Amino acid sequence: NAGVTQTPKFQVLKTGQSMTLQCAQDMNHEYMSWYRQDPGMGLRLIHYSVGAGITDQGEVPNGYNVSRSTTEDFPLRLLSAAPSQTSVYFCASSSPGAHTQYFGPGTRLTVL
Amino acid sequence: TQLLKQSPQFLSIQEGENLTVYCNSSSVFSSLQWYRQEPGEGPVLLVTVVTGGEVKKLKRLTFQFGDARKDSSLHITAAQTGDTGLYLCAGQSGAGSYQLTFGKGTKLSVIP
C-alpha cells in the first residue's frame, strides 16, 4: 500500500512549456485534490475531484487543467508555464465521511 | 471565503519549554484538523476535532476546539527537537464537504 504517490519529485521548466504532474493513490479514495504551497501562503486548493469523471475548480485554478478518468489517477496539467507557477505542488486523497486527507510527498516546480 | 488565521507565524523555543499555537476564524467549521509538515514532505494529520469544546491529547500534544467551533489551539508540553516542523490547521466547512481551508501555518523550531 503506497498511499499517495507523485512524480516527478523535482522539475524545472522554461516559460511557455507545458507539463503534467502525476498523482496516484491506491486506497480507492473517491476524493482527490491538488494544492500549491508557497512561502507565507499556506496550502491553496487548485482543483479537486469527487470521483472519476467529476472535477471542479478550487481557489486558484487559472493556468491548470485536470481530468479524472480513473479512481486512482488525478494528473495536473500546466498548459503554458509561467514563473508565477513556481511552487511546491501537493496531491491529496480522502474517502467519504473521513476527515483525514492523505498527502503525497510533493513536486517542487521551478519555472524560469 | 472562510479564512483561518494562525499565530504565531514563527516560534523558536528551547527544548523543554511549553508552547501554544492558535488557529482562529470568524466562520464556523464542522471539524478542524491539525497537520504537521516536515521539510520536503507532505502534511501528515495529527488530529481531528469535531465537537465544540472538545479536547484531545496525543502524548505531549493537547488540541482544543472552541465552544463555538470557530477556533482551535495546539499546546505542546516540554517540547523536544523532534517537534520541529510546520504546523497547519485546516477547517472543514460542512459535514459532507471534502474541501479543507488551510491556515498559513506556524513554523516551530525547537532548539536543543
Side-chain angles (χ1 to χ4, degrees), chain B residues 45-102:
Chain B
L45 182 72
L46 293 173
V47 78
T48 300
V49 285
V50 178
T51 306
E54 183 177 5
V55 176
K56 281 192 174 179
K57 291 192 175 183
L58 185 66
K59 296 183 180 178
R60 294 175 294 100
L61 278 61
T62 302
F63 304 86
Q64 186 164 6
F65 201 13
D67 291 340
R69 290 187 287 127
K70 293 183 179 181
D71 53 82
S72 181
S73 63
L74 158 61
H75 181 79
I76 301 179
T77 303
Q80 300 176 357
T81 55
D83 295 326
T84 293
L86 180 68
Y87 289 83
L88 296 159
C89 67
Q92 184 181 22
S93 57
S97 172
Y98 290 98
Q99 293 187 54
L100 295 177
T101 300
F102 279 86

Side-chain angles (χ1 to χ4, degrees), chain A residues 37 40 48 99-101, chain B residues 33 37 45 92 98-99 104:
Chain A
Q37 187 174 36
Y48 65 95
H99 298 294
T100 306
Q101 287 205 21
Chain B
Q33 304 173 19
Q37 184 179 19
L45 182 72
Q92 184 181 22
Y98 290 98
Q99 293 187 54
K104 294 183 178 180

Side-chain angles (χ1 to χ4, degrees), chain A residues 55-69:
Chain A
T55 64
D56 207 345
Q57 297 180 352
E59 180 185 354
V60 288
N62 293 339
Y64 307 95
N65 272 0
V66 292
S67 61
R68 184 96 178 269
S69 56

Side-chain angles (χ1 to χ4, degrees), chain B residues 13-16 36 38 60 76 78-85 87 108-112:
Chain B
I13 62 170
Q14 293 290 129
E15 196 170 24
R36 180 166 167 264
E38 298 197 33
R60 294 175 294 100
I76 301 179
Q80 300 176 357
T81 55
D83 295 326
T84 293
Y87 289 83
L108 172 65
S109 297
V110 181
I111 304 166

